[in-house]
């Protein structure tokens, strides 16, 4: 490189006053300013770290509180409106708590489970419908759930009841039928309002709904259809026992569920298979069970079942007064000659074979007796005293003598 080019290079210039020319006072002032600047930077950095740490701690604390406790742990106070919940078959306490949470009764499942811990009454809660207050403390929910007054829709059908009410001709005492019992069980008082189904609404649904809509089992469709629009076509398909009625359901839905549940219980008991073994249909076996229920006391059920079987095999008419009485609003044990001569779908004095339908809701014992009759050759039986003593025989003349005993004790009325 030539000297000329070197001469053209820019020479460095000093910035600011030359150091050698700074006075001692100014140099000291610059050092102080630098030290103050460094201290401010360190303070700001430390404060930033502290703020970040506090934010992280707060987030962890609040997040933990949210996830572990939830927004509401328990309600306080007396609660709000009344609501209806259903406890279903097989529900454990947790499932019941989840149902109450969904209905707005309790605020937290865990809190309810803690309150119910060790409570034998909660563990024994039965399926059904329960009236509870909304937004109540867990402990109050436990108490309301186990209070028998808060269970609604419980239906008890005694053995031997028929669909319609019947009046005793001598005493004028009315025995509520299945329709009346369902109507009573459906009554619900909720937030000051009372709602009940009516027996006539249930009767109308039995008349007008199709067998399929009423959940009539396949083995009963034919006989039920044959009865046309007669409401008694579903007689016996709602069996005796304890059931749950949805108080908010319409008549057709209530009947459908009761018939469906009864059919399921009959299937579980083995009735369809037993009927086949006996050479009968399940419907015929149910009819026999209803006759057994109305004609005898439990200790004689299996003997009466054998009499029915023997007469059907003779063949010989059954001639049961219970079948004469069945369609009558006013009934008496001893029927009249006029009643016995009247042809109806049920009167076994006037027609051969079994009645067209069951004549009542049979209980478990009557059904078992129909399935397993006692061995014997009996064709006749009569109750001979007011204690219920019933005599069975194969001999007609002996039967006539037994009838005289019944007349003498007042069980039978000679004027009829």
């Amino acid at each position: 490189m030539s000297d000329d080019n070197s001469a053209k290079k820019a020479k460095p210039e000093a910035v600011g006053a030359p150091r050698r020319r700074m006075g001692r006072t100014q140099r000291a002032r610059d050092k102080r300013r630098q030290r103050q600047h460094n201290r401010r930077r360190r303070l700001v950095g430390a404060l930033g770290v502290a703020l970040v740490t506090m934010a992280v701690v707060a987030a962890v604390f609040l997040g933990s509180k949210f996830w572990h406790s939830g927004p509401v742990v328990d309600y306080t106070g007396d609660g709000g409106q009344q609501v209806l919940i259903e406890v279903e078959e097989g529900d454990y306490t947790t499932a019941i708590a989840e149902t109450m949470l969904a209905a707005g009764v309790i605020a937290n499942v865990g809190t309810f489970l803690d309150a119910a811990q060790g409570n034998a009454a909660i563990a024994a809660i039965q399926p059904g419908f329960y009236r509870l207050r909304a937004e109540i403390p867990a402990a109050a929910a436990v108490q309301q759930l186990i209070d028998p007054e808060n269970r609604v829709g419980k239906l008890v059908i005694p053995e031997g009841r028929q669909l319609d009410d019947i009046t005793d001709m001598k005493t004028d005492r009315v025995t509520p039928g299945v329709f009346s019992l369902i109507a009573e069980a459906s009554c619900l008082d909720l937030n000051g309002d009372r709602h009940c189904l009516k027996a006539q609404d249930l009767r109308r649904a039995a008349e007008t709904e199709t067998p399929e809509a009423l959940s009539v089992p396949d083995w009963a469709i034919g006989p039920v259809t044959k009865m046309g629009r007669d409401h008694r076509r579903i007689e016996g398909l709602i069996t005796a026992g304890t059931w749950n009625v949805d108080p908010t359901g319409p008549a057709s839905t209530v009947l459908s569920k009761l018939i469906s549940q009864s059919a399921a219980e009959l299937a579980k008991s083995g009735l369809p298979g037993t009927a086949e073994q006996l050479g009968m249909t399940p419907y015929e076996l149910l009819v026999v069970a209803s006759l057994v229920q109305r004609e005898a006391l439990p200790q004689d059920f299996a003997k009466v079942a054998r009499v029915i079987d023997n007469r059907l095999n003779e063949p010989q008419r059954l001639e049961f007064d219970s079948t004469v009485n069945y369609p009558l609003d006013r009934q008496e044990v001893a029927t009249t000659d006029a009643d016995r001569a009247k042809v109806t779908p049920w009167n076994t004095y006037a027609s051969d074979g079994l009645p067209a339908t069951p004549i009542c809701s049979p209980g478990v014992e009557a059904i078992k007796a129909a399935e397993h009759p006692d061995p014997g050759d009996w064709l006749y039986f009569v109750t001979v005293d007011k204690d219920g003593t019933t005599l069975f025989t194969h001999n007609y003349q002996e039967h006539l003598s037994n009838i005289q005993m019944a007349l003498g004790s007042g069980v039978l009325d000679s004027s009829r």
Side-chain angles (χ1 to χ4, degrees):
M1 189 176 290
S2 68
D3 291 339
D4 291 340
N5 289 338
S6 299
K8 293 178 182 179
K9 286 178 67 175
K11 296 180 179 180
E13 299 179 0
V15 179
R19 187 173 181 82
R20 65 178 181 272
R21 294 179 182 177
M22 272 187 190
R24 185 178 298 170
T25 303
Q26 184 167 346
R27 286 199 297 270
R29 190 182 298 120
D30 286 347
K31 289 180 179 180
R32 284 196 300 271
R33 282 199 295 266
Q34 185 63 39
R35 285 195 298 270
Q36 289 172 352
H37 176 70
N38 290 341
R39 282 197 299 271
R40 283 196 297 270
R41 289 183 64 185
R42 288 194 297 270
L43 181 62
V44 170
L47 182 61
V49 171
L51 289 173
V52 170
T53 302
M54 290 173 64
V56 171
V57 171
V60 171
F61 174 75
L62 291 174
S64 174
K65 192 170 182 63
F66 175 79
W67 287 110
H68 289 283
S69 300
V72 180
V73 176
D74 203 3
Y75 289 124
T76 59
D78 297 329
Q81 294 286 302
Q82 292 175 316
V83 297
L84 194 66
I85 70 160
E86 181 180 7
V87 175
E88 299 193 23
E89 187 74 40
D91 276 358
Y92 292 103
T93 306
T94 301
I96 297 172
E98 289 170 348
T99 298
M100 290 194 291
L101 179 66
V105 174
I106 59 173
N108 186 281
V109 169
T111 307
F112 176 82
L113 294 178
D114 289 342
Q117 183 69 33
N119 191 312
I122 283 289
I125 284 293
Q126 296 297 305
F129 296 88
Y130 294 83
R131 176 183 52 211
L132 306 171
R133 288 277 177 191
E135 299 184 355
I136 53 177
V142 170
Q143 293 306 311
Q144 288 192 22
L145 189 60
I146 64 177
D147 184 349
E149 293 296 319
N150 287 327
R151 183 176 178 183
V152 296
K154 183 179 179 180
L155 169 65
V156 178
I157 300 177
E159 295 88 347
R161 295 294 174 95
Q162 60 185 72
L163 291 172
D164 296 318
D165 299 349
I166 57 174
T167 303
D168 187 283
M169 192 174 295
K170 287 185 175 179
T171 65
D172 284 333
R173 185 176 69 87
V174 176
T175 301
V178 173
F179 287 145
S180 292
L181 294 174
I182 296 172
E184 183 180 358
S186 76
C187 288
L188 174 65
D189 293 298
L190 199 68
N191 299 310
D193 294 327
R194 183 173 176 82
H195 168 77
C196 301
L197 287 175
K198 296 179 180 179
Q200 54 263 42
D201 293 334
L202 293 158
R203 190 174 295 109
R204 188 177 303 112
E207 292 170 348
T208 59
E209 296 290 335
T210 65
E212 292 78 12
L214 292 173
S215 297
V216 171
D218 291 343
W219 47 261
I221 290 287
V224 168
T225 302
K226 190 175 180 180
M227 290 297 296
R229 294 291 186 175
D230 193 313
H231 68 273
R232 288 167 290 200
R233 61 186 179 155
I234 65 165
E235 187 72 81
L237 295 179
I238 302 174
T239 57
T242 300
W243 308 103
N244 294 303
V245 171
D246 183 352
T248 64
S252 57
T253 301
V254 168
L255 289 179
S256 174
K257 188 170 184 180
L258 289 170
I259 292 172
S260 174
Q261 290 175 328
S262 296
E265 288 299 313
L266 290 172
K268 192 186 301 183
S269 73
L271 179 136
T274 302
E276 184 177 358
Q277 293 172 9
L278 295 173
M280 306 173 74
T281 68
Y283 192 79
E284 288 171 337
L285 190 55
L286 192 64
V287 173
V288 171
S290 74
L291 297 176
V292 167
Q293 185 75 63
R294 291 301 296 271
E295 283 287 331
L297 295 175
Q299 64 265 25
D300 293 319
F301 278 173
K303 286 185 176 181
V304 170
R306 176 55 64 191
V307 170
I308 294 170
D309 189 54
N310 289 342
R311 286 200 175 195
L312 292 175
N313 288 330
E314 277 290 319
Q316 181 177 340
R317 287 184 177 176
L318 295 178
E319 297 184 347
F320 286 174
D321 287 319
S322 58
T323 64
V324 176
N325 269 320
Y326 171 70
L328 305 177
D329 293 334
R330 299 178 65 83
Q331 299 182 3
E332 188 179 1
V333 174
T335 57
T336 65
D337 289 339
D339 289 334
R340 290 192 291 271
K342 192 180 300 181
V343 178
T344 73
W346 301 277
N347 184 358
T348 56
Y349 276 93
S351 303
D352 297 334
L354 293 169
T357 73
I359 61 170
C360 70
S361 294
V364 173
E365 289 185 73
I367 292 173
K368 286 183 177 179
E371 293 174 330
H372 306 286
D374 277 353
D377 62 355
W378 313 293
L379 288 173
Y380 310 98
F381 66 94
V382 62
T383 300
V384 297
D385 59 35
K386 294 182 180 179
D387 292 329
T389 303
T390 303
L391 300 180
F392 293 79
T393 181
H394 177 77
N395 184 282
Y396 183 65
Q397 293 302 318
E398 187 176 341
H399 177 58
L400 293 178
S401 298
N402 293 339
I403 289 176
Q404 291 302 314
M405 292 175 60
L407 290 169
S409 67
V411 172
L412 294 181
D413 185 351
S414 60
S415 66
R416 301 175 70 84

